[in-house]
Every structure is written in structure tokens, then in C-alpha cells.
Amino acid sequence: MAKKLVSVLRGTPSWPPPLWLMRQAGRYLAEYRALRARAGDFITLCTTPDLAAEVTLQPVRRFGMDGAILFSDILILPWALGYGLRFADGEGPVLPRWQPEDTAGLDLRRLEGALAPVMEAIARVRAGLGEDTALIGFAGAPFTVACYMIEGGGSKDHARTRAVAYREPRDFENLLAVLTEATITSLSLQIEAGAEAVMLFDSWAGVLPPSLFRHYVANPAARIKSALGKQFPEVPVIGFPRLAGGQLGLYAAISGVDAVGMDTATDPALAAALVAAPVALQGNLDPVALLAGGAPMIAEVRRILAALRGRAHVFNLGHGILPETPPAHVAELIALVRSGGETA
Ligand code: CP3
């Protein structure tokens, strides 16, 4: 029998809904901070199989979520293609600022070898997971990975990326095409290594106008879902076009993904109307409500559960857990969702 998380992602509703949390492994956990200090560098943590597997399992062991998400990062993909990457303390990721001629240097042949430690981590996580917990693999969507490459790191408005998309569409499309193929390879390898569902994080999808959204967000997701669907028809794909708002319906229809992630700003009732069943919905508690805890958190959780009752719904946050979140609030959240919103 399929694990509950997987069957809901494939469109079968379940009450109370299964749950996992974006960034469920990370700095809010003392055991993560200890292991991170031991590894020294974040990339070392992601590419040392024992450490990456242990960090993946930490939150599941502590809280018993229905899903474990592989501990890695969306920027490990360009790193594996030979593109520079470092994580500066307190500054986030730093990459070389992409120029059109850099696309030719992205080496798809390096991928399998460079990602081998990640696949080994996946195999170890699977060996350490209970029968009811599903392992989720992931990648950044091509557009969001391109944003980090073109900006050379994070950005408030991604103006440089959008300027490239308008002024140099051929160069931009070439970059996205290479990243799309690399994403298909990475996700296929993750599934072969043991991932039971995969998620595509398009964190910056919402900075694009509708015309570009279709080309650079929905179409690459369609290409990725179609390639994975041929090889692994039973493995659900979750698409998360963050801040895409009213375009969620178009995204679901064009991409063919099995489930759509809702960000914090999305009204779950509106998402349920825009995204046709049996496509599942995932989300979308405000991570700040989790940080705050107590009565406001309880009210938000009940509102989300009520809006999606009867739909295939995976409970999650609307974005990643904040590092300041008290772990006790996570335990309370899980008990609350597991009781269908009744306890507390
Ligand atoms: O638990 C999980 O969700 C799995 C692991 C995971 C990480 N990053 C670990 C991480 C996942 C799924 C990601 C996705 C990711 N990474 C996204 C998409 C989701 C989103 O947040 O929008 C993006 C945009 C990135 C890029 C990235 N990685 C940034 C901007 C940063 C710096 C910001 C920060 O939180 O420090 C990272 C670093 C990172 N990735 C950390 C973790 C736990 C913190 C590293 C540390 O320990 O210092």
C-alpha cells in the first residue's frame, strides 16, 4: 500500500491530512546546529552522505512528520554542473554573476559523479525511515536557479534576471534549457536512489508578468513533469511556483504536476477553486504564525484545514521554517493537525 503522503499527493484525500514542513531540518534545531558546526561548511554538510542523511532524519525522529525532505540545497545543482558556489556566513549564497557565455561551461556530464554523495545520502535515509514516512527529493525550478546565477546570489527584485529575459531571450532560454535537462537528470537520479515524491521549488516565480510566467515557469515544469512521468509514472511531482497567486490554475493545467504548493499569501479556498481536482494542494501556514504559536497559530491552522477539507491536501507551511522558531511550537502544530484541528 502506498504511504499516506504519496497517496494524497497522487490525488486521494485523507483526513486528517498528512504533513511535513518546508525547511524542517535546519537552524531552529539544536541537533542541526551541532552537526553543522562539526561539518564546518554548508556544502560539506550537503555532500557528506552520513551527515546529510542524519540531518534529514533529525526532525522526523523528533516530531514524526509524514515526510522527510532530503537535506540538500537547490544550488547544489549549479555547483554539480561546475558553477561556483559558496555560502558566506550571514550573507546567504554567493555565486559568480552569470554571463551568456557561461552557459556553454555548464557540464551535464559532471552531474552524475558530482551528485553521487547526494544519492548515497538518499539511500541511507531510506534505510533509516519507518514504513509510514515518505522521502521527498527536490530541485530548484530552472527559473529560480537562473535567478541566483544571474544575480550572483539573493536579490530583492531580480531586476537583472528580468532584464536578461527581456533583452536577451535567446541567451536566457539557452540557460533555462540546460538547467531544465540538468533538473530532469538530478530528479531521476534521486528517484532511482529512493525518493518517493519530488518537489520543484520556484521561489521567485512571482516576479514575472503572466506572459513570461508561462514561458519560464509553467513550460519548464511541464517538460520536467512529462520526462519524469514517462520514466516514473507512480512518483508524484509537487510544483511550488511561489507568489504566483492567480496563476496557480494556469500553472497546474500547463505543467501537469500532481500537486501544487501554496505560499503564505494564497487563500486556500481560492487555490482549491483555481486548481482542478484531483491535483493535490500543499500548504500553507504562515511560518511566522508557527513562530508565534498559541491561539493565533491554532486559528490559522483551523482555517486552512476547513478550507481544504475533502480535497487532497498535504499540510505544510507557506514558506520555510524560520531559524528562531521554538521547537515546542512544531510539536504543538503536529498534534493539532493530527487531531484534525481539535486539540489545543
Ligand atoms: O529541510 C528542508 O527543507 C530541506 C533542505 C533545504 C534547504 N534549502 C536547506 C538549507 C531545501 C529544500 C532548500 C531549498 C532552497 N534553498 C530554496 C527554495 C525554498 C525557499 O526557501 O524559497 C532556496 C531559494 C534556497 C537557496 C538558499 N539556501 C538560500 C537563499 C540560503 C540562505 C538563507 C538561509 O536560510 O540561510 C540557503 C542556505 C540553506 N539551505 C540553509 C539550509 C538549512 C541554511 C544554511 C546554514 O545552516 O547556515
Side-chain angles (χ1 to χ4, degrees):
M1 225 185 69
K3 294 177 183 178
K4 181 163 148 176
L5 175 65
V6 175
S7 83
V8 173
L9 288 171
R10 296 188 61 186
T12 306
S14 178
W15 180 263
L19 109 172
W20 67 280
L21 304 173
M22 289 190 276
R23 289 272 178 106
Q24 64 190 25
R27 284 170 299 199
Y28 77 107
L29 290 177
E31 58 268 36
Y32 171 84
R33 295 193 298 270
L35 221 130
R36 169 85 164 76
R38 193 141 65 81
D41 173 49
F42 180 69
I43 297 178
T44 305
L45 184 54
C46 292
T47 54
T48 306
D50 275 340
L51 300 181
E54 172 58 20
V55 173
T56 304
L57 291 167
Q58 282 174 346
V60 179
R61 218 180 271 137
R62 199 199 257 238
F63 303 110
M65 291 87 172
D66 299 284
I69 182 157
L70 167 69
F71 188 81
S72 184
D73 197 85
I74 65 165
L75 300 177
I76 291 295
L77 185 79
W79 171 85
L81 290 167
Y83 201 75
L85 171 68
R86 68 191 172 84
F87 283 85
D89 274 337
E91 219 192 303
V94 182
L95 301 87
R97 273 197 165 185
W98 173 88
Q99 299 294 334
E101 55 276 18
D102 293 337
T103 302
L106 298 174
D107 188 354
L108 288 160
R109 290 162 312 177
R110 285 182 93 249
L111 218 47
E112 193 164 351
L115 292 178
V118 175
M119 305 313 149
E120 181 56 33
I122 289 177
R124 291 184 199 193
V125 173
R126 271 304 290 276
L129 275 183
E131 274 173 28
D132 300 329
T133 316
L135 176 57
I136 305 159
F138 71 92
F143 175 69
T144 286
V145 173
C147 281
Y148 284 94
M149 293 173 68
I150 294 172
E151 306 288 339
S155 159
K156 279 201 205 74
D157 56 9
H158 300 88
R160 194 174 137 93
T161 305
R162 285 184 283 156
V164 172
Y166 287 115
R167 287 192 192 126
E168 300 156 90
R170 288 289 159 273
D171 291 330
F172 192 64
E173 279 159 24
N174 282 341
L175 173 60
L176 288 197
V178 173
L179 293 175
T180 300
E181 293 319 302
T183 302
I184 291 167
T185 301
S186 168
L187 292 175
S188 300
L189 290 168
Q190 292 180 47
I191 294 167
E192 279 163 359
E196 299 164 278
V198 294
M199 177 151 164
L200 209 49
F201 286 90
D202 218 342
S203 304
W204 302 113
V207 303
L208 291 174
S211 54
L212 298 190
F213 179 90
R214 184 184 269 265
H215 276 307
Y216 298 137
V217 171
N219 288 348
R223 161 92 187 101
I224 292 163
K225 169 60 201 178
S226 138
L228 294 176
K230 280 189 198 116
Q231 246 191 305
F232 313 103
E234 72 294 350
V235 176
V237 176
I238 311 162
F240 182 41
R242 199 168 70 89
L243 302 176
Q247 309 213 79
L248 284 181
L250 176 108
Y251 176 85
I254 291 182
S255 69
V257 294
D258 302 276
V260 172
M262 301 173 292
D263 58 56
T264 301
T266 299
D267 175 351
L270 177 63
L274 291 173
V275 175
V279 177
L281 293 164
Q282 174 174 282
N284 70 341
L285 180 69
D286 183 355
V288 179
L290 174 62
L291 184 151
M297 175 179 93
I298 294 165
E300 283 300 302
V301 169
R302 288 181 175 155
R303 190 183 55 74
I304 294 164
L305 290 174
L308 296 170
R309 189 141 185 190
R311 235 350 243 262
H313 174 215
V314 173
F315 195 91
N316 204 318
L317 301 175
H319 201 189
I321 293 191
L322 296 164
E324 307 78 28
T325 304
H329 292 186
V330 174
E332 284 158 25
L333 170 65
I334 292 176
L336 182 61
V337 174
R338 290 261 159 84
S339 74
E342 278 163 31
T343 58

